Amino acid sequence: MAMPRLLVLGSSWFLGRAVVDAALSAGWEVTTFRRGRHESGDDPANVTTIRGDYADPAAVGRLAKAGPFDAVVDNLAYTPRETLAVARALEPATNRYVMVSTVSVYEGWPVEPLTEDSAVLECAADAGPNPGYDGDPGPSTYGFGKAGCERAITETFGPDRATILRPGVILGPHEYVGRLPWWLRRMERAGEVLAAGSPDRSIQPVDVRDVAAFAVRCAAGQAGIFNVAAPGDETMGDFLTACRRVTGSDATITWITDEPWLIDQGVRQWTEIPLWRTYAGAWAVDTSRARAAGLVTRPLVDTARDTWEWLTSGTMVEHERAGELGISPVKEVAILQAWRAREADRCGAQ
Ligand SMILES: NC(=O)c1ccc[n+]([C@@H]2O[C@H](COP(=O)([O-])OP(=O)(O)OC[C@H]3O[C@@H](n4cnc5c(N)ncnc54)[C@H](OP(=O)(O)O)[C@@H]3O)[C@@H](O)[C@H]2O)c1
């Protein structure tokens, strides 16, 4: 029997790379599409690579001619107008379209708990770059754009041939955004580590390989819209303990539990302290629909261990975004000192 054919749009940094690996393991014949920039890595030898830009109609036309495909997994959907053009070009040559979207499409993210039925941002299927606006804590032009791309796919392929995946935070080997790498390196540096909020706060980062396996499973015949995240049975305390354990660190962790105080000191959520977010909806994403459809997620410690192995393997290539995250050592020490002084004052006053 002929192998099923999968086209992966954007294939070599992080999620795209994991989708290619998952598809090869599941017995797909894989074609990848990317510009071919050296620093984002090579595709495996046993895939066919087509070079070109997602925004270039001629390149997308070549892709359609390379079909037919049983499915496409699209990691490059950010600008609705581009995604609409890609979807229309590929529709006659593709049975199913799996688009990687995000929880940022929800109007209520990160403030409210979310299910797939929660309201989604309004964006036209043919909107141009950076639609909508950026708010604080939300929404974002990123979320608006993804919402428009979802619409482009669903309108072109119809609900029975379209799969929309809405992951929250994705971690794991090759993560170039740098959230887990920052925490692992911070633990390696040891000393006193500033942790924010409660160690008991549930978090839902999902391993890139689990998202990829689910994407490939959907490519084989599962339509619908799915939130993709960990179930929330592990906490920020579990996460930092795992980071400390896999790096062999003897760091001590100081939890600054007064979050308004920490914010008043000028410490930024999400970026300076990766994964710290005070809004109630940030980690309240319902994933029961994806689980019923076959999503399986691994424990955080496995993600931390394998990411540390990759970071220390010598094969890592720095992405242009690496270094955007994390509190500076000087600021961390200053905040910890101020916190201790404040705690001493409070004890003295009692
Ligand atoms: N990271 C998270 O926490 C998170 C959370 C939710 C959703 N997501 C979504 O997950 C998806 C993940 O993608 P990733 O960044 O991990 O991707 P990836 O697919 O592993 O990496 C990006 C790939 O796309 C190629 N590429 C970039 N721009 C291109 C263009 N204009 N035309 C053709 N190829 C292009 C790059 O190769 P070349 O440089 O060689 O072109 C690279 O192979 C995104 O849609 C993102 O919105 C991520």
Side-chain angles (χ1 to χ4, degrees):
M1 210 169 73
M3 290 161 90
R5 298 192 72 210
L6 183 69
L7 171 64
V8 183
L9 306 179
S11 58
S12 55
W13 267 117
F14 182 42
L15 180 57
R17 170 192 288 261
V19 169
V20 171
D21 288 347
L24 292 173
S25 304
W28 291 74
E29 181 190 322
V30 177
T31 301
T32 63
F33 178 70
R34 53 186 283 244
R35 293 163 304 179
R37 298 204 171 167
H38 174 67
E39 69 283 359
S40 66
D42 295 323
D43 288 306
N46 44 349
V47 310
T48 303
T49 299
I50 298 176
R51 297 281 162 96
D53 196 304
Y54 189 80
D56 174 9
V60 174
R62 286 201 301 279
L63 263 186
K65 286 204 186 87
F69 299 103
D70 294 281
V72 52
V73 174
D74 185 352
N75 296 295
L76 296 173
Y78 296 102
T79 303
R81 188 183 297 159
E82 289 175 5
T83 299
L84 186 61
V86 171
R88 284 180 176 163
L90 289 176
E91 192 278 329
T94 308
N95 187 34
R96 176 171 306 283
Y97 204 103
V98 180
M99 178 198 145
V100 181
S101 186
T102 165
V103 291
S104 298
V105 295
Y106 291 114
E107 275 178 21
W109 195 86
V111 178
E112 295 163 12
L114 300 170
T115 74
E116 288 86 351
D117 297 326
S118 302
V120 167
L121 297 167
E122 266 301 318
C123 184
D126 60 353
N130 303 316
Y133 55 94
D134 285 312
D136 184 15
S140 62
T141 55
Y142 170 63
F144 279 105
K146 285 284 193 188
C149 293
E150 288 190 2
R151 183 172 277 188
I153 300 307
T154 309
E155 284 180 7
T156 309
F157 278 79
D160 295 338
R161 292 165 62 211
T163 310
I164 306 291
L165 305 182
R166 294 178 179 156
V169 168
I170 306 173
L171 303 179
H174 302 278
E175 186 224 320
Y176 61 77
V177 183
R179 296 179 175 116
L180 178 52
W182 186 82
W183 275 116
L184 291 167
R185 288 185 171 129
R186 178 64 196 89
M187 287 299 172
E188 182 191 31
R189 195 156 52 81
E192 185 181 11
V193 174
L194 188 166
S198 166
D200 299 327
R201 175 176 284 143
S202 294
I203 59 171
Q204 296 181 279
V206 61
D207 191 288
V208 66
R209 295 159 294 181
D210 298 333
V211 183
F214 187 60
V216 171
R217 189 183 173 96
C218 290
Q222 177 70 63
I225 299 174
F226 299 96
N227 294 334
V228 185
D233 56 358
E234 294 191 274
T235 64
M236 198 64 196
D238 295 329
F239 174 71
L240 293 192
T241 304
C243 291
R244 184 170 55 190
R245 185 179 336 147
V246 303
T247 54
S249 169
D250 63 358
T252 56
I253 301 175
T254 297
W255 290 92
I256 297 189
T257 48
D258 187 339
E259 297 182 317
W261 180 86
L262 200 50
I263 291 166
D264 280 349
Q265 305 306 301
V267 179
R268 293 191 306 277
Q269 302 181 41
W270 215 231
T271 50
E272 272 189 308
I273 309 283
L275 303 190
W276 171 47
R277 197 106 207 223
T278 56
Y279 303 105
W283 304 114
V285 178
D286 180 53
T287 59
S288 48
R289 188 188 287 178
R291 276 164 211 289
L295 171 69
V296 178
T297 53
R298 71 195 73 198
L300 276 170
V301 69
D302 290 2
T303 305
R305 184 196 57 230
D306 297 345
T307 305
W308 183 239
E309 217 163 82
W310 162 67
L311 274 176
T312 51
S313 66
T315 60
M316 193 204 159
V317 180
E318 285 291 341
H319 188 272
E320 61 194 16
R321 289 190 62 189
E324 277 179 14
L325 296 176
I327 190 167
S328 76
V330 172
K331 185 167 177 181
E332 184 184 38
V333 168
I335 300 284
L336 286 166
Q337 278 170 355
W339 174 249
R340 253 190 301 282
R342 173 191 183 268
E343 292 298 278
D345 280 353
R346 280 161 55 109
C347 288
Q350 275 167 12

